[in-house]
Amino acid sequence: DAGVTQSPTHLIKTRGQQVTLRCSPKSGHDTVSWYQQALGQGPQFIFQYYEEEERQRGNFPDRFSGHQFPNYSSELNVNALLLGDSALYLCASSFPLAGGVTDTQYFGPGTRLTVL
Amino acid sequence: LAKTTQPISMDSYEGQEVNITCSHNNIATNDYITWYQQFPSQGPRFIIQGYKTKVTNEVASLFIPADRKSSTLSLPRVSLSDTAVYYCLVGDIEGLSGTYKYIFGTGTRLKVLA
């Protein structure tokens, strides 16, 4: 049973460019969340996708957008890259617990984005 | 935005029990508390999850008081390989907007010494 996978593992971009990161959830999971983790910091919640729609969103600008496909995989897009967007981008997948708002999230290995 | 805090770092010796506490004053009513372990340049690895009282699995225990404003991760008999950063994760609902968000704790860097 494959866990959460992400691609690419590393990426280098320049300021102003656009980037797309990809995530395949763990088998049986239908919800995907994205996090940004700057060096030495904890992960920061970007947004969550469920049934191909953005369900929740953290304090990130509209330059950060996403998409979920019918097979539950997801993409994170970041436009007009800034130096401060350099970080490890984590994808987590989950399946909602009955009656609760929190579901157990399982994380992928991350994509290391460097913006020059 | 609610703040979730943990001690920045802890040192321990092999074979000792380690307890790491996370405070989360604004945890959402129906929300669970989840703890993760993270090694450098890797994604967080699930350790344990609970709602209240005590939960135990093969690697850790989680203690949650009745008010649920904090939680304590207990690692029995740590080894060198337990050297990592440990995070708590809770859901938080912002008061005015009612927006639900996931909030990671500040992270605790555990160093296990021989």
Side-chain angles (χ1 to χ4, degrees):
Chain A
D1 176 27
V4 180
T5 60
Q6 293 185 243
S7 63
T9 54
H10 296 86
L11 202 53
I12 299 175
K13 292 286 188 177
T14 57
R15 283 179 297 175
Q17 284 189 314
Q18 178 265 343
V19 67
T20 297
L21 309 181
R22 296 176 176 81
C23 172
S24 291
K26 182 178 171 68
S27 178
H29 287 182
D30 61 0
T31 303
V32 173
S33 302
W34 287 92
Y35 293 79
Q36 179 195 67
Q37 186 174 26
L39 198 62
Q41 304 295 317
Q44 300 292 314
F45 175 65
I46 303 175
F47 43 53
Q48 183 181 79
Y49 275 84
Y50 172 68
E51 292 188 341
E52 301 181 49
E53 291 190 358
E54 183 181 295
R55 183 165 69 169
Q56 292 146 4
R57 189 179 181 94
N59 297 326
F60 280 80
D62 292 343
R63 297 188 298 110
F64 290 78
S65 63
H67 187 78
Q68 186 178 34
F69 300 94
N71 66 354
Y72 308 123
S73 67
S74 176
E75 289 182 348
L76 165 65
N77 301 294
V78 186
N79 295 321
L81 284 168
L82 304 174
L83 296 179
D85 295 331
S86 294
L88 181 67
Y89 287 86
L90 297 163
C91 168
S93 75
S94 55
F95 190 81
L97 297 173
V101 297
T102 302
D103 31 33
T104 305
Q105 298 185 58
Y106 293 89
F107 286 81
T111 293
R112 172 71 63 189
L113 172 64
T114 301
V115 182
L116 302 176
Chain B
L1 187 64
K3 189 174 182 180
T4 305
T5 58
Q6 304 175 225
I8 294 174
S9 64
M10 298 179 71
D11 288 347
S12 181
Y13 288 96
E14 280 191 294
Q16 289 187 329
E17 178 184 74
V18 171
N19 296 309
I20 305 173
T21 297
C22 175
S23 67
H24 29 76
N25 292 328
N26 282 9
I27 184 171
T29 301
N30 295 332
D31 213 30
Y32 283 71
I33 300 157
T34 312
W35 281 81
Y36 293 88
Q37 175 192 57
Q38 188 177 31
F39 297 109
S41 298
Q42 295 186 22
R45 185 177 75 94
F46 172 82
I47 301 174
I48 197 168
Q49 183 181 62
Y51 183 78
K52 61 181 178 181
T53 64
K54 178 183 175 181
V55 179
T56 298
N57 63 20
E58 62 276 10
V59 298
S61 294
L62 179 59
F63 300 90
I64 304 168
D67 65 8
R68 300 192 348 109
K69 293 184 182 298
S70 67
S71 60
T72 299
L73 171 71
S74 181
L75 304 173
R77 299 178 300 281
V78 295
S79 63
L80 295 175
S81 62
D82 293 321
T83 294
V85 180
Y86 292 81
Y87 292 99
C88 63
L89 173 64
V90 300
D92 174 77
I93 296 179
E94 287 193 316
L96 292 178
S97 65
T99 304
Y100 179 87
K101 300 177 185 179
Y102 293 102
I103 307 294
F104 267 89
T106 49
T108 299
R109 191 171 300 275
L110 173 65
K111 185 175 183 180
V112 180
L113 307 170

Coordinates of all heavy atoms in Angstrom, one line a residue, chain A residues 4 7 23 28 31 43 46 53 58 61 65 70 77 81 88 90 92 107:
Chain A
V4 N 1.6 8.5 0.8 CA 1.4 9.7 0.1 C 2.7 10.0 -0.7 O 3.8 9.9 -0.2 CB 1.2 10.9 1.1 CG1 1.0 12.2 0.3 CG2 0.0 10.6 2.0
S7 N 5.6 15.0 -6.0 CA 6.6 15.2 -7.1 C 6.6 16.7 -7.5 O 5.6 17.4 -7.4 CB 6.3 14.4 -8.3 OG 5.1 14.7 -8.9
C23 N 0.6 15.9 -5.8 CA 0.5 15.0 -4.7 C -0.5 13.9 -5.0 O -1.6 14.1 -5.6 CB 0.0 15.8 -3.5 SG -0.5 14.8 -2.1
G28 N -7.2 5.0 -0.5 CA -8.4 5.0 0.3 C -8.7 6.4 0.9 O -9.8 6.6 1.5
T31 N -9.2 13.2 0.9 CA -9.0 14.6 1.3 C -7.5 14.9 1.3 O -6.7 14.1 1.8 CB -9.5 14.8 2.7 OG1 -10.9 14.5 2.8 CG2 -9.3 16.3 3.1
P43 N 5.2 23.4 10.1 CA 4.4 23.5 8.9 C 3.2 24.5 9.1 O 2.6 24.6 10.2 CB 3.8 22.1 8.7 CG 4.8 21.2 9.5 CD 5.2 22.0 10.6
I46 N -1.9 25.6 4.3 CA -2.3 26.4 3.2 C -3.7 26.3 2.8 O -4.5 27.2 2.9 CB -1.4 26.1 2.0 CG1 0.1 26.2 2.3 CG2 -1.8 26.9 0.8 CD1 1.0 25.8 1.2
E53 N -13.0 20.4 -4.3 CA -13.2 21.8 -3.9 C -12.4 22.2 -2.7 O -12.1 21.3 -1.9 CB -14.7 22.1 -3.6 CG -15.6 21.9 -4.8 CD -17.0 22.4 -4.5 OE1 -17.3 22.8 -3.4 OE2 -17.9 22.5 -5.4
G58 N -5.9 28.5 4.9 CA -5.1 29.2 5.9 C -4.8 30.6 5.4 O -5.4 31.1 4.4
P61 N -1.9 34.1 0.5 CA -2.5 35.0 -0.6 C -3.0 34.1 -1.7 O -2.7 32.9 -1.8 CB -1.3 35.8 -1.0 CG -0.1 35.0 -0.6 CD -0.4 34.3 0.6
S65 N -2.8 28.6 -5.1 CA -4.1 28.0 -5.6 C -3.9 26.5 -5.7 O -2.7 26.0 -5.8 CB -4.6 28.6 -6.9 OG -3.7 28.3 -7.9
P70 N -10.5 14.0 -10.0 CA -11.5 13.0 -9.6 C -10.8 11.8 -8.9 O -11.5 11.0 -8.2 CB -12.1 12.6 -10.9 CG -12.0 13.8 -11.7 CD -10.7 14.5 -11.4
N77 N -0.4 25.2 -6.9 CA 0.2 26.2 -7.8 C 0.5 27.4 -7.1 O -0.3 27.9 -6.3 CB -0.8 26.5 -9.0 CG -1.3 25.3 -9.7 OD1 -0.5 24.7 -10.4 ND2 -2.5 24.9 -9.6
L81 N 6.3 33.9 -8.0 CA 7.1 33.4 -6.9 C 8.0 34.6 -6.3 O 8.6 35.4 -7.0 CB 8.0 32.3 -7.3 CG 7.4 31.0 -7.5 CD1 8.3 30.0 -8.3 CD2 6.9 30.4 -6.2
L88 N 9.8 23.9 2.2 CA 9.4 22.5 2.0 C 7.9 22.5 1.9 O 7.2 22.9 2.9 CB 9.9 21.6 3.1 CG 9.6 20.1 3.0 CD1 10.3 19.5 1.8 CD2 9.9 19.4 4.3
L90 N 4.6 20.4 1.9 CA 4.1 19.1 2.3 C 2.6 18.9 1.9 O 1.8 19.8 2.0 CB 4.2 19.0 3.8 CG 5.6 19.1 4.4 CD1 5.6 19.4 5.9 CD2 6.4 17.8 4.2
A92 N -0.6 16.3 2.7 CA -1.1 15.3 3.6 C -2.4 14.8 3.1 O -3.3 15.6 2.7 CB -1.3 15.9 5.0
F107 N 1.4 12.4 6.0 CA 2.2 13.3 5.2 C 3.1 12.6 4.2 O 3.6 11.5 4.4 CB 3.1 14.2 6.1 CG 2.3 15.2 6.8 CD1 1.6 14.9 7.9 CD2 2.3 16.5 6.3 CE1 0.9 15.9 8.6 CE2 1.5 17.5 6.9 CZ 0.8 17.2 8.1

